[in-house]
Amino acid sequence: MTEQQNAYAAAGVSIEAADKAIELMKVWVDKARRPEMIGGLGGFAGLFDASALTRYERPLLATSTDGVGTKVAIAQAMDVHDTIGFDLVGMVVDDLVVCGAEPLFMTDYIATGRVVPERIAAIVKGIAEACVVAGCALIGGETAEHPGLLDPDEYDVAGATTGVVEADKLLGPARVRPGDAVIAMEASGLHSNGYSLVRHVLLNTAKWELDRDVPELGRTLGEELLEPTRIYAKACLELADRTRTHAMAHVTGGGLAANLERVMPAELSATLERGTWTPQPVFDLVRRVGSVPQADLEATLNCGVGMVSLTDPEDVDTAIEVLATHGIRAWVAGEVRADEAGDGGGGRVTLTGQHPGW
């Protein structure tokens, strides 16, 4: 065994480092537990007691998987690794919750050129802390060392989550009605989309350094770019429970209009007024420094709105109050309407006006 381990180490893979990483991450994984979770780290599969689902009349399982894109390049460049996990969890659980599903458990996958136990533990720390915020268990994962494929200090992360929703409470296009209010929920910043554009504009073309103090941002560029993705899961579940919310959309790659269109029925459309909000300064910074057309910006970045709901207009005040209790600023950005023109524009989301200050 020792000879095999030495040979493996000579090929660039350290079993000893992997074992140490597991020991370091255990304390964080233990914090991201649910009562239904069985066992701990070390098994071939994570176990979750599905008898908890017997309280449902017709439970529908939902699943989502994603990564964090090239935001990992910022974390690596800054040598800050305990926030990227928030981005990962946010990307998967908030895709899940839009149908009304409660996230139950999550697994993660970390690929790296060289296992540095402290770095892996920091990544898992962020994942575990974000799972607590989302209300799901971190039930398992995998760390893979890929020497020769990734540079020693490079890594990538991905994850998957599983959740459940009662069939008759499933949210989606079939529930959307004319007159529904489009409630916008403020983003924490860029979240984890469009970093290829942001890096191209600010780092590659403008040649800005990550430690550059940017007055408009009130901090360094690197600190802004590492701002963790906001997690909406618990807030949106309470929103669905306490209001007549018919659909939700997680604003990720493709931007606000394209993602909202994914939950719009073909016979309805929505118009959103840009004048109802001002995106955080980082979005205008990318637009101005890179001379990026607004249409391209809006097709790539969330532009200040990380989640939207389509909610009965009579429940708007309650919805905004619910979201405020979770620390999420929300506002009515538009309205759903019937496609009365019959011009083939059904299912379309249109942005009108201009953001204040733009």
Side-chain angles (χ1 to χ4, degrees), residues 50-358:
S51 64
L53 304 185
T54 57
R55 71 178 186 271
Y56 291 83
E57 292 292 327
R58 185 188 170 201
L60 301 181
L61 293 180
T63 185
S64 174
T65 186
D66 208 341
V68 298
T70 60
K71 191 169 184 175
V72 293
I74 306 298
Q76 291 161 22
M78 294 186 64
D79 197 23
V80 175
H81 312 287
D82 61 352
T83 62
I84 203 73
F86 261 82
D87 298 292
L88 178 62
V89 175
M91 297 307 291
V92 295
V93 300
D94 287 335
D95 270 359
L96 190 80
V97 79
V98 298
C99 69
E102 175 191 3
L104 298 174
F105 56 83
M106 177 170 172
T107 57
D108 66 76
Y109 180 81
I110 304 170
T112 183
R114 172 175 59 107
V115 169
V116 178
E118 293 77 12
R119 183 165 60 209
I120 299 299
I123 297 170
V124 174
K125 171 180 180 286
I127 295 172
E129 290 177 336
C131 282
V132 172
V133 172
C136 67
L138 179 55
I139 201 171
E142 174 72 11
T143 300
E145 202 165 23
H146 292 165
L149 183 62
L150 296 170
D151 289 340
D153 292 325
E154 285 184 336
Y155 62 82
D156 197 10
V157 296
T161 187
T162 298
V164 62
V165 59
E166 189 70 74
D168 64 5
K169 294 184 178 180
L170 183 69
L171 304 181
R175 291 180 176 262
V176 180
R177 297 290 182 267
D180 278 351
V182 181
I183 298 178
M185 305 177 212
E186 188 175 47
S188 59
L190 292 166
H191 286 185
S192 191
N193 295 106
Y195 271 74
S196 293
L197 171 63
V198 173
R199 290 168 55 243
H200 172 72
V201 168
L202 300 180
L203 303 183
N204 299 336
T205 302
K207 303 298 183 183
W208 287 14
E209 300 292 337
L210 290 172
D211 61 359
R212 177 186 178 124
D213 284 310
V214 184
E216 301 99 307
L217 305 177
R219 53 181 169 178
T220 68
L221 177 62
E223 289 168 338
E224 177 70 30
L225 298 188
L226 270 193
E227 178 67 34
T229 299
R230 172 162 285 155
I231 295 175
Y232 300 91
K234 285 185 178 180
C236 285
L237 289 174
E238 185 175 350
L239 180 68
D241 183 58
R242 292 185 52 190
T243 69
R244 287 165 291 182
T245 287
H246 300 138
M248 291 185 278
H250 187 200
V251 184
T252 55
L256 176 54
N259 280 285
L260 184 51
E261 285 175 352
R262 295 168 68 178
V263 295
M264 291 292 298
E267 68 275 12
L268 302 178
S269 298
T271 300
L272 277 61
E273 175 53 59
R274 296 186 185 97
T276 60
W277 83 97
T278 300
Q280 290 94 334
V282 67
F283 298 102
D284 193 33
L285 191 71
V286 173
R287 181 177 71 100
R288 289 186 292 104
V289 172
S291 298
V292 180
Q294 188 164 350
D296 291 347
L297 197 77
E298 292 176 336
T300 308
L301 307 177
N302 68 58
C303 290
V305 178
M307 182 77 78
V308 292
S309 74
L310 303 179
T311 301
D312 189 293
E314 294 184 1
D315 288 346
V316 164
D317 290 344
T318 300
I320 291 176
E321 289 173 7
V322 166
L323 295 168
T325 63
H326 289 269
I328 298 171
R329 190 175 77 86
W331 63 94
V332 175
E335 182 183 10
V336 175
R337 54 180 171 76
D339 181 32
E340 297 174 351
D343 59 359
R348 181 180 302 162
V349 174
T350 303
L351 299 176
T352 63
Q354 187 54 281
H355 302 297
W358 282 37

